[in-house]
Amino acid sequence: MIEYTTTPTGITADMLGGFFVGWPDPPSPPTHLRILQSSHFVVLAVDRQADRVVGFINAISDGIMAAYIPLLEVLPDYQGRGIGTELVKRMLDKCAELYVVDLTCDPGVQSFYARCGMQPSTGMMVRRYEYQAGRIEQAN
Ligand SMILES: CC(C)(COP(=O)(O)OP(=O)(O)OC[C@H]1O[C@@H](n2cnc3c(N)ncnc32)[C@H](O)[C@@H]1OP(=O)(O)O)[C@@H](O)C(=O)NCCC(=O)NCCS
C-alpha cells in the first residue's frame, strides 16, 4: 500500500536509501533529506509497511509565477505501478496556479511526461559534476 505525502516532516534519512540509481556521485541520504526539506513543494510515495520512501518528486519555486522540477525518481522495484505518474500529477496539482512549470529530461522520458499533460520544450543548462553530490553548506 503506497501512501502519498506532500511534506518531508517525519521522513528520516534512513527511509531514503536506494535513490539516484546510476549517478556517479549521488547525494547521500542525509543530503537527499535536506534537498526535500529545502524544496518549495515535494510529493513523496511512502511504503508504510517497509517504512521507506519509494518515490519522490520535488520543485523549487518563487511561489508566485514559476517552478522548476529538478528530480523525479521511483525505486526500481516499485517502477511500472503508476507511482511516477501519480507523483507528477500530484506535483502539477500543487503547481496549478503557477504560470511556468519547467523540467529538463532525456528525450526517452518525454512520452512519459507528455502523458502527464506536459509538452516538449527546448532549454539551456549548466552542469557542474564536481557538485553532483550536493554543495557542502558554508558555515555562515
Ligand atoms: C521515469 C520514472 C519516474 C517513471 O516511474 P514509474 O513509477 O515507473 O512510472 P509509471 O508506472 O507511472 O509509468 C507510466 C508509464 O510511463 C512509462 N515509462 C516509465 N518510465 C519511462 C521512461 N523512462 N521512458 C519512457 N516511458 C516510461 C511506463 O512504461 C508506463 O507506461 P504504460 O502505462 O504504457 O505501461 C521511473 O522510471 C524512474 O524513476 N526512472 C529513473 C529516474 C528518471 O529517469 N527520472 C526522470 C528524470 S527527468
Side-chain angles (χ1 to χ4, degrees):
M1 183 67 181
I2 302 301
E3 199 176 291
Y4 293 91
T5 177
T6 54
T7 172
T9 303
I11 301 298
T12 55
D14 57 7
M15 297 169 73
L16 284 168
F19 287 107
F20 304 102
V21 173
W23 287 41
D25 190 19
S28 65
T31 300
H32 187 184
L33 182 59
R34 282 205 346 257
I35 289 169
L36 297 175
Q37 290 167 337
S38 304
S39 296
H40 196 85
F41 299 121
V42 296
V43 187
L44 310 174
V46 182
D47 181 337
R48 287 289 172 202
Q49 227 169 357
D51 197 30
R52 68 190 303 205
V53 176
V54 299
F56 75 98
I57 186 169
N58 70 321
I60 52 179
S61 177
D62 53 27
I64 300 167
M65 180 185 276
Y68 177 71
I69 296 173
L71 295 168
L72 163 71
E73 189 170 352
V74 174
L75 291 179
D77 285 352
Y78 289 81
Q79 289 178 12
R81 304 187 200 176
I83 296 171
T85 302
E86 193 62 32
L87 289 171
V88 174
K89 286 191 168 160
R90 287 175 185 244
M91 179 57 80
L92 292 179
D93 281 351
K94 298 290 287 181
C95 298
E97 294 181 356
L98 296 177
Y99 171 54
V100 169
V101 182
D102 284 356
L103 60 80
T104 62
C105 68
D106 293 335
V109 198
Q110 281 181 308
S111 58
F112 165 78
Y113 287 116
R115 271 179 282 157
C116 298
M118 302 185 78
Q119 55 185 313
S121 73
T122 53
M124 304 290 284
M125 66 181 199
V126 174
R127 292 288 183 272
R128 298 190 174 90
Y129 288 97
E130 68 272 30
Y131 295 127
Q132 189 177 68
R135 190 178 65 87
I136 305 301
E137 281 178 26
Q138 302 297 312
N140 50 2

